Amino acid sequence: MSDVAYEAVIGLEIHVQLSTRTKMFCGCELGFGEPPNTRTCEVCLGLPGALPVANAEAIHFGLMIGLALDCDLAPRSIFHRKNYFYPDLPKGYQISQYDEPLCRGGKLGDVRIHRVHLEEDAAKLIHLGTSGRLHGSEASIVDFNRGGTPLAEIVTEPDLRSAEDAGEWLRLLRTTLRRLGVSDVNMEEGSLRCDANISIRPAGTHELGTKTELKNMNSFRFIERGIRAEIARQEALLRAGEPVVQETLHFDPRTEAITSLRSKEEAHDYRYFPEPDLTPVGITDAMLERARAAMPELPAARAERFERELGLPADGARLLAWRTELGDYFEAALADDGDDAPEPQALANWLNELVARIETDDPAESQVQPRALASLAAMVAGKRVTQNAAKQVLDRLVAEGGDPAAIVEAEGLGAIGAGDELEPVVQQALDANPDVVAKLSAGDMKPIGVIVGHVMRETRGRADGGAVTRIVRQKLGL
Amino acid sequence: MIDREQVLHVARLARLSLSDDEVQQMAGELSKVLGHIEKIAELDLDGVPPTSHVVEVPNALRPDEPRPSLPRDVVLAAAPAVADGGFLVPSPQAG
């Protein structure tokens, strides 16, 4: 039993705060960081007699999400009351959707979408006391500013097989939502929140194991680490012959500990019933038309375009398109119609070099202008600077910005070709390595790297490797 | 029939604390309500879509335009306890 290989089966539930101006069912303005309880009214405080009215823009955003995820849009959907008691829920129920959601089915990338529905966010609990954590502190205050914020809940089918897959797919979803402009999708501020349903089974089998739900992870790093930790926990249980218990879990990123959050017994007794205060939502042709007209080019389509029009390989195209900021920077650099426009693949490679050198996710926030990167790529292509020297130029650009041509000029980093300048350096390298020369002369070309390396050191990477090899062959009559 | 355990379960979900007499009384009343529903369930309703709303008015929606929120002192006036501009509550315990 202990040498059985397991595979994970993971489905995600993602809550996305919609970036409407006002709340889901009342006209209170949305914000972030306002003083507590300054954005509330009778409706979002759940005062008796208040009447909620659904926000047309939230439904519009919901339809756009449905279109982007290739869902079936329900001609008619309704809201339900989901009943439970918690201090962050003033009415004693959350208005959500149950068996008649706005969108069903669908697909994004390789992952099928189960459903998308609209609901309202709960209020924020601020825990007082020294620890500031849920356990242990004695009192909390409730800030209802967030209560009633429109949420889209996106539920996937259990199509993901690893923590890394989940992280990558979530990035695609985030980029897609960002392109749609329906949410800030900022995990740190809580506008994108993710729960994961996780089970494991012996690899190659099809029956699903008992799943657990890992709650509210608020960064990509935590999500991947949390899922990995939970998979490991379940594997350890099964290998020890113990069962996995269905429960809701909390992952503590500081200690990597996974703890049970609440007993399932009561948690799922939500006693849903149709919300009598809200009318059904009927999708009209005009609403559909407006949603379709608002659709931008989505990452999947952008990747396809990069592949088709620019000849990038599929994985490279995805890398750029799935991170909007990279795709935007890439296209900005490509659009630089200077003297020599860079070749797309070479430019993509240099963008990767840049990304590896900067702290921020968005290269546009670095010192390096898209135009500068484009011209650096073009200079390499034109053999005016070698690959190695160009990396030094890029280091300078990252540190202080500027124009690559000027840096090359000022630092004397221009490529040394086959001319008079290179020949003596090659001769010097040959003189310094008689043993290598002997091997080369005997027809063993493998150690030529020693000569090239020597020349590179002497010229600080400015020599063209091909030219060095050529001169060596000439000199030795090979 | 609704039994005592079911009454206590529903009461727990609603955070109600009931006396023994009340439990007995509620068991009787809730059973009558259920009996009424069961009576309706005798009707042949195949092919009749469930009624979720009494009046079928679709799309009573609101434009996404802000309206003034309530002043905070008004909001907090009815709170039993207040701290740092918020409603002071006992910390919810997990489980």
Side-chain angles (χ1 to χ4, degrees):
Chain A
M1 187 71 190
S2 63
D3 54 357
V4 174
Y6 288 99
E7 77 172 356
V9 178
I10 304 160
L12 301 178
E13 287 179 26
I14 302 101
H15 287 87
V16 185
Q17 283 184 344
L18 301 179
S19 48
T20 50
R21 292 184 67 195
T22 67
K23 292 188 178 181
M24 187 69 216
F25 299 115
C26 65
C28 285
E29 200 165 0
L30 297 178
F32 184 80
E34 276 75 23
N37 296 302
T38 53
R39 296 281 173 90
T40 68
C41 71
E42 296 88 341
V43 173
C44 57
L45 288 170
L47 300 186
L51 188 68
V53 184
N55 185 338
E57 193 70 357
I59 289 163
H60 173 61
F61 284 176
L63 291 177
M64 286 177 69
I65 294 172
L67 287 173
L69 304 184
D70 210 9
C71 300
D72 293 325
L73 308 179
R76 176 186 188 273
S77 68
I78 62 172
F79 289 100
H80 269 75
R81 290 186 181 180
K82 178 181 182 177
N83 297 279
Y84 64 94
F85 264 92
Y86 212 70
D88 60 9
L89 201 64
K91 299 188 293 297
Y93 57 86
Q94 177 193 32
I95 303 177
S96 181
Q97 294 194 292
Y98 183 49
D99 55 358
E100 296 186 49
L102 190 67
C103 317
R104 279 180 215 264
K107 200 166 207 259
L108 178 69
D110 300 329
V111 174
R112 290 169 301 150
I113 304 295
H114 179 60
R115 61 184 272 159
V116 180
H117 74 249
L118 297 175
E119 60 185 31
E120 57 177 342
D121 206 349
K124 200 162 123 190
L125 281 170
I126 301 159
H127 304 285
L128 304 177
T130 47
S131 73
R133 291 172 55 223
L134 192 66
H135 299 268
S137 59
E138 287 164 6
S140 303
I141 62 164
V142 192
D143 171 9
F144 286 103
N145 285 355
R146 193 183 73 179
T149 298
L151 291 180
E153 179 175 328
I154 299 165
V155 183
T156 77
E157 298 290 353
D159 287 351
L160 293 156
R161 292 290 174 270
S162 73
E164 294 73 23
D165 282 357
E168 192 193 350
W169 186 82
L170 203 56
R171 283 184 180 87
L172 171 62
L173 177 68
R174 183 175 63 161
T175 307
T176 302
L177 294 169
R178 184 179 283 154
R179 290 288 278 191
L180 288 175
V182 299
S183 172
D184 297 336
V185 289
N186 183 327
M187 294 195 83
E188 283 69 33
E189 291 181 2
S191 54
L192 179 82
R193 309 195 288 267
C194 183
D195 304 338
N197 287 304
I198 303 165
S199 64
I200 63 171
R201 63 186 176 195
T205 62
H206 294 285
E207 204 176 320
L208 292 171
T210 305
K211 70 177 178 186
T212 57
E213 186 181 8
L214 205 52
K215 273 291 197 194
N216 257 335
M217 294 167 288
N218 63 355
S219 85
F220 282 96
R221 220 155 39 92
F222 293 170
I223 285 168
E224 290 187 27
R225 279 167 56 194
I227 292 175
R228 216 172 288 133
E230 174 55 12
I231 292 171
R233 190 189 70 93
Q234 291 189 12
E235 261 199 59
L237 281 175
L238 294 190
R239 289 192 196 286
E242 289 174 38
V244 172
V245 179
Q246 181 170 346
E247 59 187 336
T248 304
L249 301 169
H250 171 76
F251 173 69
D252 185 336
R254 283 173 308 168
T255 61
E256 302 254 324
I258 287 175
T259 48
S260 185
L261 208 55
R262 63 180 158 196
S263 74
K264 212 69 181 172
E265 180 196 3
E266 286 181 4
H268 273 222
D269 202 343
Y270 290 131
R271 294 149 293 145
Y272 283 96
F273 64 87
E275 165 60 272
D277 288 345
L278 287 162
T279 65
V281 176
I283 302 307
T284 63
D285 288 346
M287 289 160 82
L288 265 182
E289 228 164 85
R290 184 172 165 240
R292 287 210 179 94
M295 297 298 284
E297 183 189 41
L298 295 170
R302 196 182 205 189
E304 206 262 326
R305 178 167 61 84
F306 285 169
E307 233 185 296
R308 195 184 59 240
E309 290 179 8
L310 303 177
L312 295 184
D315 54 345
R318 266 166 42 154
L319 205 69
L320 292 175
W322 289 17
R323 279 177 60 186
T324 307
E325 64 276 11
L326 291 192
D328 289 350
Y329 190 97
F330 176 70
E331 294 209 75
L334 208 58
D336 175 26
D337 50 0
D339 297 339
D340 31 22
E343 194 268 317
Q345 180 59 61
L347 180 65
N349 294 344
W350 281 105
L351 181 52
N352 283 338
E353 291 284 340
L354 171 60
V355 169
R357 283 170 168 76
I358 56 177
E359 302 275 322
T360 59
D361 284 341
D362 185 355
E365 289 168 9
S366 76
Q367 300 273 356
V368 187
Q369 299 297 315
R371 169 180 289 269
L373 193 73
S375 96
L376 184 64
M379 287 171 75
V380 176
K383 292 198 185 290
R384 275 170 287 148
V385 60
T386 64
Q387 194 84 9
N388 273 323
K391 287 181 182 174
Q392 298 173 45
V393 175
L394 186 57
D395 290 337
R396 284 289 294 272
L397 285 172
V398 168
E400 52 206 54
D403 171 41
I407 294 174
V408 167
E409 181 74 41
E411 299 286 309
L413 286 170
I416 310 171
D420 298 341
E421 209 183 335
L422 193 52
E423 193 273 330
V425 187
V426 176
Q427 186 59 54
Q428 190 195 16
L430 292 174
D431 292 346
N433 296 284
D435 50 331
V436 173
V437 171
K439 283 187 188 161
L440 292 176
S441 300
D444 177 10
M445 290 306 283
K446 263 180 277 169
I448 195 164
V450 177
I451 304 296
V452 176
H454 188 109
V455 174
M456 288 300 174
R457 263 195 313 282
E458 291 299 315
T459 61
R460 288 186 300 143
R462 292 153 60 221
D464 178 79
V468 174
T469 308
R470 231 173 8 255
I471 294 172
V472 169
R473 284 176 179 277
Q474 248 166 33
K475 283 184 173 295
L476 300 180
L478 297 168
Chain B
M1 275 300 286
I2 296 270
D3 64 23
R4 182 186 155 75
E5 277 314 304
Q6 288 168 308
V7 171
L8 286 174
H9 177 64
V10 174
R12 196 160 54 238
L13 290 172
R15 299 298 189 273
L16 293 175
S17 141
L18 301 181
S19 68
D20 280 349
D21 286 351
E22 285 170 323
V23 171
Q24 202 155 11
Q25 186 193 338
M26 291 308 295
E29 290 181 7
L30 289 175
S31 295
K32 273 187 200 160
V33 173
L34 270 199
H36 184 62
I37 301 292
E38 274 158 19
K39 186 81 193 160
I40 294 173
E42 288 172 14
L43 294 170
D44 178 11
L45 296 175
D46 283 355
V48 179
T51 303
S52 63
H53 293 71
V54 181
V55 188
E56 187 78 7
V57 190
N59 296 343
L61 304 177
R62 178 177 60 79
D64 186 26
E65 286 159 13
R67 297 179 55 173
S69 294
L70 292 171
R72 185 159 79 179
D73 54 341
V74 173
V75 169
L76 295 176
V82 170
D84 300 342
F87 294 79
L88 187 66
V89 297
S91 278
Q93 291 300 312

